[in-house]
Amino acid sequence: MSKKFDVCVVGATGAVGEVILSILGQRDFPINNLYPLASANSAGKKVFCQGKSWTVQDLATFDFSKTQIGLFSAGGNISEKYAPIAADAGCVVIDNTAHFRRDEDIPLVIPEVNAHAIAGYTKRNIIANPNCSTIQMLVALKPIYDAVGIERINVATYQAVSGSGKKAITELTDQTVNLLNGKDVEVGVYPKQIAFNVIPHIDVFQDNGYTREEMKMVWETQKIFEDENILVNPTAVRVPVIYGHSEAINIETKQKITAAEASNILAKASGVTLMDKREDGGYATPFVEASNNDATFVSRIREDISHDKGLNLWVVSDNIRKGAALNSVQIAEILIKQYL
Ligand code: A2P
């Protein structure tokens, strides 16, 4: 019989944790015992995975030596405190937060892009999952980077509220219902009303005027591509969409690539679904195509009329699946197949 693993999911009751549980089931991950972990408030609740009911336990009192793999999605502060405890107890942590991503001795992995980096997990027993916006951008750009090189990436994101957790989903839906009923809205998670609005601000402002969400896309692209010279210029924007981030990307390549050549390359790329007909509806959108789908969709490929080596793409993916839960489970699959 093939080997089975004891797995804990930290943040199992959250927006990402719930999808991790469902993906572990869908992909038939070889689980022996599953330990869903959350705050003391959730202890005793039941969650379902692989046709069985499992009881949520309090993270604070959990003994990580019972597990070989930990999938963490409960926020940066929780990972900062508990990931090293888990790692020291022999549990390999796959962390969805930004906390460890920039640490040199922690691999930052997108399986379609740099699966080889997983080998470095032994240094600290922790592997970081990149930011959702970085993941879908690099799944789409890596095949082009390999073919012709990329000098510079200009990107504007259109990010769904689920990236800020369940409270943000409730904030968008409550505000929408209130506005449609002529009532006042309450603002809590975001600095301004998100319903029927667009907010050009995600995460905290940095000294250079960019936000941390934007700088994550710069730092993470350079680390994952192992290319400190690649230039990235992001603007990260929150939009009133529940699931699915979109990105308008313009790249300047090292050698010229035509739109047709880029399409041919992306049609064969792992994790990518090309949806690019130059007709009404011939492109992917977050709600209709990306939501609840594993693929990173690429549409609107066209040569930049303002730059000889410029190319435009529209890239859409489910931020909670490929942007978080699925990417983590894919890392875990490689880990157990090649390393554990
Ligand atoms: P809980 O539901 O018990 O609060 P989201 O990203 O959707 O906001 O979810 C956050 C996840 O992180 C939830 O599963 C939440 O559990 C968990 N979490 C938040 N704070 C803590 C904490 N102090 N200890 C353990 N888990 C926590």
Side-chain angles (χ1 to χ4, degrees), residues 9-18 37-43 45 56-60 73-75 77-78 82 162-169 320:
V9 176
V10 177
T13 53
V16 174
E18 284 180 351
L37 306 175
S39 74
N41 295 338
S42 301
K45 280 188 187 165
V56 177
Q57 298 184 32
D58 181 2
L59 167 68
S73 298
N77 295 340
I78 301 292
Y82 291 99
S162 52
S164 318
K166 279 185 172 174
K167 277 194 196 131
I169 299 175
I320 298 293

Side-chain angles (χ1 to χ4, degrees), residues 182-202:
K183 294 188 188 153
D184 290 339
V185 297
E186 274 180 36
V187 166
V189 176
Y190 299 117
K192 296 200 186 209
Q193 175 188 315
I194 183 66
F196 304 103
N197 203 9
V198 159
I199 304 175
H201 165 203
I202 301 180

Side-chain angles (χ1 to χ4, degrees), residues 12-246:
T13 53
V16 174
E18 284 180 351
V19 177
I20 287 178
L21 296 175
S22 101
I23 291 176
L24 288 170
Q26 285 160 8
R27 296 173 74 95
D28 216 6
F29 193 88
I31 291 174
N32 182 34
N33 278 310
L34 178 73
Y35 300 94
L37 306 175
S39 74
N41 295 338
S42 301
K45 280 188 187 165
K46 302 279 184 203
V47 295
F48 291 87
C49 181
Q50 299 191 338
K52 284 189 221 165
S53 158
W54 309 86
T55 305
V56 177
Q57 298 184 32
D58 181 2
L59 167 68
T61 54
F62 184 68
D63 172 10
F64 285 97
S65 68
K66 293 198 268 197
T67 58
Q68 293 90 54
I69 299 168
L71 301 162
F72 278 55
S73 298
N77 295 340
I78 301 292
S79 289
E80 179 180 13
K81 178 165 178 194
Y82 291 99
I85 295 174
D88 287 348
C91 167
V92 182
V93 171
I94 301 171
D95 183 39
N96 255 304
T97 76
H99 188 75
F100 299 102
R101 287 183 194 147
R102 295 183 69 197
D103 292 10
E104 272 176 24
D105 51 359
I106 291 198
L108 181 65
V109 177
I110 307 169
E112 294 86 346
V113 177
N114 65 335
H116 68 272
I118 292 175
Y121 84 92
T122 48
K123 290 183 196 135
R124 286 175 62 190
N125 251 8
I126 300 174
I127 300 167
N129 205 60
N131 178 260
C132 41
S133 297
T134 310
I135 292 177
Q136 67 183 69
M137 180 169 83
L138 299 194
V139 167
L141 294 186
K142 179 64 163 44
I144 297 175
Y145 180 87
D146 287 344
V148 288
I150 296 176
E151 196 81 42
R152 178 162 182 253
I153 304 169
N154 260 301
V155 53
T157 70
Y158 305 69
Q159 297 185 217
V161 297
S162 52
S164 318
K166 279 185 172 174
K167 277 194 196 131
I169 299 175
T170 307
E171 181 152 312
L172 171 59
T173 51
D174 285 354
Q175 287 181 356
T176 306
V177 169
N178 283 346
L179 285 164
L180 290 174
N181 286 289
K183 294 188 188 153
D184 290 339
V185 297
E186 274 180 36
V187 166
V189 176
Y190 299 117
K192 296 200 186 209
Q193 175 188 315
I194 183 66
F196 304 103
N197 203 9
V198 159
I199 304 175
H201 165 203
I202 301 180
D203 211 332
V204 295
F205 281 93
Q206 309 288 288
D207 289 344
N208 64 1
Y210 286 70
T211 63
R212 190 160 63 193
E213 183 80 355
E214 291 159 352
M215 291 310 297
K216 283 176 205 163
M217 295 179 79
V218 179
W219 298 322
E220 294 177 16
T221 297
Q222 291 174 343
K223 177 164 176 176
I224 294 164
F225 277 178
E226 298 168 20
D227 179 354
E228 59 188 28
N229 296 315
I230 190 163
L231 301 167
V232 188
N233 178 46
T235 301
V237 180
R238 190 72 68 188
V239 296
V241 167
I242 294 185
Y243 294 107
H245 287 358
S246 307

Side-chain angles (χ1 to χ4, degrees), residues 287-307:
F287 182 83
V288 178
E289 285 80 19
S291 177
N292 220 13
N293 201 315
D294 287 350
T296 294
F297 289 86
V298 181
S299 309
R300 303 292 324 276
I301 301 175
R302 63 204 189 280
E303 285 149 47
D304 180 345
I305 53 173
S306 73
H307 191 288

Side-chain angles (χ1 to χ4, degrees), residues 252-277:
E252 294 171 24
T253 53
K254 291 197 169 156
Q255 294 156 44
K256 180 164 176 66
I257 184 167
T258 66
E261 286 164 346
S263 295
N264 285 338
I265 289 170
L266 287 168
K268 294 178 228 132
S270 170
V272 171
T273 294
L274 192 65
M275 185 174 179
D276 196 15
K277 293 209 172 107

